[in-house]
Amino acid sequence: MSSTILVVEDEPAIQELIAVNLSFAGHKVLRAFDVAQAETLIRAELPDLILLDWMLPGASGLTLARKLRSDERTRLVPVIMLTAKGSEQDKVDGLESGADDYITKPFSPKELMARIKAVLRRRAPQLTDDLIEVEGLKLDPTSHRLSGNGQPLAIGPTEFRLLHFFMTHPERVFSRGQLLDQVWGDHVFVEERTVDVHIRRLRKALEPSKHDAHIETVRGSGYRFTPVIPKS
Ligand code: CA
């Protein structure tokens, strides 16, 4: 699945190499040569993942990583640090700053792509193409098909994304605001009650196979996807 990836790298040849490989893999690439440029791009569009060089002119990549983690809006964006440094202490500093992974230069494009996939799978499973099955409910992101106990279920694109997000984050309660950020996207201005409308449609889509009970309303908080339906 296509993700938006921000590459912050001051060496043009390396930036180009990374960007070409990411584009080839179907990702949308944003590029910055320093922290200031990166911050401007992040303000305009929240990327799904950031590849961040450590040694940059001006503020270091480590500084940006720490800033991202302390800001509510960017706190959850996965970060992979790129660096020529390879000592244990540097690795510890990098991971303590909130980076999800750490790649030492020189690296092969193949290794980079594998790490990106692993981090996205761990941090943002709704962005991967992995087929998910929960209690007979099967969602296939590649073909955009959904079935309940083997029976195909008709579902709209927004409800599909919403269900994909829920199924990859089971048992967690999400507020309407969080769901808007995660499913509709950052900087999208829609009213919170829009979420309720799509939750209703989602339940309706899941009704034929009785999977609608997996979508729980948590009073005063929001919604949750629960794999196990309590027996009433
Ligand atoms: Ca550099």
Side-chain angles (χ1 to χ4, degrees):
M1 193 174 278
S2 166
S3 309
T4 301
I5 299 179
L6 169 62
V7 182
V8 191
E9 167 65 69
D10 60 313
E11 286 158 74
I14 299 179
Q15 191 197 80
E16 179 67 17
L17 176 75
I18 296 172
V20 164
N21 277 283
L22 291 175
S23 304
F24 191 70
H27 298 294
K28 178 181 166 188
V29 185
L30 305 172
R31 304 182 190 205
F33 285 98
D34 58 28
V35 168
Q37 275 182 2
E39 287 183 313
T40 303
L41 289 170
I42 293 167
R43 264 196 298 277
E45 178 182 8
L46 198 61
D48 296 313
L49 184 138
I50 300 173
L51 289 175
L52 181 56
D53 186 27
W54 183 309
M55 298 291 280
L56 293 165
S60 74
L62 204 61
T63 311
L64 179 60
R66 291 203 178 103
K67 252 171 141 173
L68 293 170
R69 285 299 173 260
S70 61
D71 181 342
E72 185 62 29
R73 180 171 166 255
T74 55
R75 202 166 49 86
L76 296 175
V77 178
V79 173
I80 299 177
M81 296 282 300
L82 306 174
T83 180
K85 297 181 166 195
S87 80
E88 275 307 302
Q89 187 53 46
D90 289 339
K91 187 166 180 170
V92 170
D93 287 349
L95 294 175
E96 277 181 351
S97 72
D100 294 275
D101 202 356
Y102 184 102
I103 303 180
T104 308
K105 292 177 188 171
F107 49 81
S108 70
K110 205 172 159 186
E111 183 192 1
L112 178 70
M113 301 311 287
R115 299 283 195 98
I116 289 173
K117 203 163 182 186
V119 167
L120 282 177
R121 184 164 286 148
R122 196 169 75 233
R123 291 288 310 275
Q126 75 277 14
L127 297 175
T128 68
D129 282 338
D130 298 344
L131 188 135
I132 319 166
E133 183 166 6
V134 177
E135 298 289 316
L137 186 63
K138 204 193 267 183
L139 181 142
D140 184 353
T142 312
S143 64
H144 256 252
R145 287 210 172 95
L146 177 72
S147 66
N149 305 324
Q151 174 191 1
L153 299 172
I155 187 167
T158 304
E159 289 73 34
F160 189 90
R161 286 206 309 278
L162 188 58
L163 181 61
H164 193 191
F165 179 74
F166 273 137
M167 288 178 81
T168 48
H169 298 82
E171 292 300 347
R172 282 174 56 189
V173 181
F174 293 97
S175 68
R176 289 166 180 81
Q178 284 171 324
L179 289 171
L180 281 175
D181 282 349
Q182 297 286 335
V183 179
W184 275 256
D186 181 56
H187 280 354
V188 173
F189 298 99
V190 271
E191 286 183 65
E192 293 204 341
R193 64 166 182 237
T194 305
V195 175
D196 301 331
V197 172
H198 288 279
I199 290 277
R200 260 202 305 281
R201 286 187 198 157
L202 174 58
R203 283 183 173 138
K204 192 112 194 127
L206 299 177
E207 251 173 33
S209 60
K210 306 233 176 352
H211 283 96
D212 51 309
H214 288 287
I215 311 291
E216 294 186 328
T217 303
V218 183
R219 284 190 72 160
S221 306
Y223 297 99
R224 167 174 60 206
F225 178 84
T226 182
V228 186
I229 303 170
K231 294 202 168 56
S232 52

